[in-house]
Amino acid sequence: QVQLVESGGGLVQPGGSLRLSCTASGVSLNNWHIAWFRQAPGKEREGVSCIEGHFGATLYGDSVKGRVTISRDYAKNTVFLQMNSLKPEDTAVYSCAAGYGCYVRDGKSVLRNIRYWGQGTQVTVSS
């Protein structure tokens, strides 16, 4: 059974940092493109960042560019999302997904051919 499990969310003050993890079981993420999405209450899901499998090229949405870094640890079968300088508008449920085809459209990262989704982890930025 394939599972993507996110962790690392929580409550953080504005300006703070969090590192989210997306760990897979039942499948190797090495050749998959992995994306992070977020969805705030009452808003559409938004692509945050994407990392390709083979060469590890990375893409970022305009709303997080310069504040977020996506990376992967092949040995741990995990993709990370380091988020710095967090703002209240970053509050959302963050989910990871595995698929093929990362690109940016209308300022948001996009992942095509999604095969697997995680359940999400809550990130709340508030003082």
Side-chain angles (χ1 to χ4, degrees):
Q1 182 181 359
V2 175
Q3 279 191 314
L4 300 183
V5 179
E6 301 92 340
S7 61
L11 173 64
V12 63
Q13 292 186 342
S17 298
L18 283 175
R19 189 176 79 156
L20 306 183
S21 300
C22 172
T23 301
S25 60
V27 66
S28 170
L29 295 183
N30 290 357
N31 294 318
W32 291 86
H33 299 182
I34 308 299
W36 283 96
F37 295 84
R38 68 184 183 185
Q39 188 165 22
K43 294 189 177 181
E44 292 186 356
R45 186 168 56 206
E46 173 189 5
V48 173
S49 182
C50 194
I51 185 167
E52 294 185 344
H54 200 56
F55 296 106
T58 58
L59 296 171
Y60 299 95
D62 289 349
S63 63
V64 300
K65 195 176 296 181
R67 302 187 295 120
V68 164
T69 303
I70 190 171
S71 61
R72 61 197 307 159
D73 185 323
Y74 291 96
K76 294 183 178 179
N77 210 24
T78 297
V79 172
F80 301 102
L81 189 71
Q82 177 69 43
M83 302 190 296
N84 302 321
S85 302
L86 284 163
K87 306 174 183 180
E89 51 263 43
D90 293 319
T91 295
V93 175
Y94 285 71
S95 302
C96 62
Y100 289 107
C102 292
Y103 62 98
V104 173
R105 181 176 64 193
D106 297 331
K108 296 179 176 60
S109 72
V110 178
L111 176 64
R112 299 180 62 185
N113 303 306
I114 293 175
R115 178 76 178 270
Y116 306 113
W117 279 97
Q119 292 298 311
T121 185
Q122 176 70 46
V123 171
T124 302
V125 184
S126 175
S127 56

